[in-house]
Amino acid sequence: MKTQQLRKNWLWVVLCVVLLLSFLSSCATPTPEVIEKTVEVEKVVEKTVEVEKTVEVEKVVEKTVEVEKIVEVTAVPTGPGVFNGAYPYQVPPVGHLNMFATNSMGVGIYRTLFQPPLAMYMWADGSWVPYLAESWDIDAATATLTVYLKKGIKWSNGDDFNAQDVIATFNCRRLTNGTVWRFLESVTAKDDYTVVFKMSEPSSVVERYVIRNEPIVDRATYGEWSDKLQALVDAGKDKDSEEWKTLLQEFNAFRPETLNATGPYIIDMDSINEARMTLVKNPTSYWADKVKFDIVYLYNGETPTVTPLVLAQQVDYATHGFPPATEKAFVASGVRIVRPPIYSGPALYFNHTMYPFNVKEVRQAIAYAVDRNQNGVVSLGESGKAVKYMAGFSDNMVPLWMDTGLLNTYEFNRDKATELLEGLGFTKNADGIWVTDKGDVMEYELTAPAEFADWSAAAENLAGQLTEFGIKTTFRGVEFNQHPIDVRSGNFELAIREWGSGNPHPHFAFTVPFFSYNINAAEGPGISFDLNVSTECCGELDLEPLITDQTKGLDVEAQKAMVAKTAQAFNELLPVVPLWERYGNNPIMDGLHTCGWLPDDDPIYKNSPYADSFTVMMIMDGTLYPCNQ
């Protein structure tokens, strides 16, 4: 009996050790190596069973088998689960919480985790995933979009989410001259959970602008500004009035002290530093019980900063443009790469106040002189695909909207480029550099965001190709936050900025060079491209109403004619020269730290990783969960 009791005591100690190891592994973010050691201890227990064939020991073994299963299913840890993302942001006081002003800490795609939009979109089938909205409908007869909001959603300050939050959001966007207000007359509340958007006239793109493109902010923070704006509107004032301009200036200087969230996470303001910020669980959120991660870390920085973090497997997902050699290193370390279409990419921007960039034949010659395929491969490997149709919007979408035979593909042809320049009276000097008909040597500076590895590579390669052709070009990198300001203010000669848009209507892509970096440029004249144009394809055109009007009505076939005309004009005039279309080369730690990633052929990967982030959507609905942590 004494021997039997000793054996029982020894088995009890072993079981306690096993349970202690399991407890520690769930609380201390274990590594895979620790898990393997724990399993080895379990095997010792099984070996004991073979020696000790007693009823009591068998019962203990049954318990230890249960423990073994818990240890093996490491994808469901009992401790806090962490998702590690990466996105650039500015540290306070430069970075701030006014989500409508420059340098806000909206952290790109991850803003959905604390201030989601009304819904997000599935590109593969055109369906919607409702978030703050329950449903909506469009009435062409009354030119209204009516949104029915979900009930029971709360802000992190305890307020109920309702229609007044939506009104405050869109009034603030109106104050800041948001594009959506080109299509809207008013936004009103029918009741606490019904919002009516009155359109100037029915338009198929209003749904996208309203339902997806605007994260919803709270009335507690922005209500006073909304009320002031509405008072100006009621008094008949518009954006050109001094009162409006003064209010906008005051609003741009507004700095909220706290962040209010409906999403499952909220920024821990005390955690923000140059390296990382922390999003903690928002316990009052409608999605609090749906998400599987307790903490989200967002590492700060562009590609050079984030690359070593991915290689060290400290980042679970990144959207940065990684060079081909870096991508190979990721794959070699066991990291999975997904390649979703982004529906946009880098383009060569011209300052149209400068001669000869304001001559279309010069821009056409440059399009012929550049090997876009080489530029894309050098910059991003198989994720940089040369633009074919040069229509101003994604090659993936062009056949859906028009006859591609109407477009010049500008295939690489330096003889054609030379013919165009010589036709203008340009010649080459003794150094092989082109000289304009006015005697100006074609020697320019090309800028790009220094931290964007793919765009910087594109710029460096482009500068080399242009110089080789005889247009002497020097590349200079500019800090990534400053670069768009320089372009919008017209402080550049040649620059690399974006073309295209992660939105399902070509209108959104056209607004990028024609509006955002041109007539609506926040800091100044932008590229200074005159939208009243004379074309060989389509005669005299005013592109501003053409781009706006192509979204009017709900008849897509009627819109296609206007889209085709705009695309032909873009193709002929080339206000910017698209270089290549970017596909993601997004690293994911599938099975390393995060599990649940869907297979490559899942329709969700038709979503742009920026416009309707599949990763954020999979966090929100609980598809992704922590494992091996």
Side-chain angles (χ1 to χ4, degrees), residues 486-531:
D486 286 351
V487 176
R488 291 195 298 260
S489 62
N491 182 27
F492 75 105
E493 294 179 339
L494 296 170
I496 299 292
R497 292 307 304 171
E498 70 271 24
W499 68 270
S501 174
N503 285 284
H505 195 294
H507 156 84
F508 295 93
F510 292 138
T511 64
V512 176
F514 288 127
F515 292 175
S516 300
Y517 285 100
N518 196 32
I519 61 172
N520 286 348
E523 290 85 5
I527 66 174
S528 298
F529 181 79
D530 189 350
L531 297 186

Side-chain angles (χ1 to χ4, degrees), residues 64 66 91 154 204 282 298 321-322 341 432 464 564:
T64 58
E66 291 176 0
V91 175
K154 285 188 173 293
S204 58
N282 173 15
L298 296 181
F322 297 100

Side-chain angles (χ1 to χ4, degrees), residues 161-202:
F161 163 73
N162 64 31
Q164 294 305 316
D165 299 304
V166 178
I167 290 173
T169 299
F170 281 89
N171 272 350
C172 288
R173 185 57 68 198
R174 185 175 193 174
L175 175 60
T176 57
N177 196 27
T179 305
V180 63
W181 281 96
R182 287 176 172 267
F183 307 95
L184 296 177
E185 288 184 358
S186 64
V187 180
T188 57
K190 186 175 180 180
D191 56 47
D192 285 347
Y193 294 96
T194 307
V195 185
V196 179
F197 293 82
K198 174 65 176 176
M199 293 180 269
S200 307
E201 57 184 290

Side-chain angles (χ1 to χ4, degrees), residues 111-112 115-120 130-133 210-216 287:
R111 184 177 173 189
T112 298
Q115 289 178 338
L118 295 170
M120 290 180 74
Y131 282 169
L132 297 177
V210 169
I211 301 300
R212 168 62 191 97
N213 285 5
E214 198 65 60
I216 304 301
W287 293 271

Side-chain angles (χ1 to χ4, degrees), residues 428-484:
K428 281 189 174 182
N429 63 18
D431 295 325
I433 306 301
W434 285 101
V435 179
T436 73
D437 58 329
K438 296 182 179 181
D440 300 324
V441 177
M442 296 186 73
E443 183 175 354
Y444 309 107
E445 179 183 73
L446 170 65
T447 64
E451 297 84 355
F452 292 12
D454 54 341
W455 285 16
S456 292
E460 191 169 357
N461 175 266
L462 178 61
Q465 288 200 49
L466 289 176
T467 299
E468 183 181 288
F469 174 64
I471 300 175
K472 190 174 181 180
T473 308
T474 303
F475 165 57
R476 179 172 65 90
V478 178
E479 195 273 332
F480 74 97
N481 284 306
Q482 181 62 37
H483 191 256

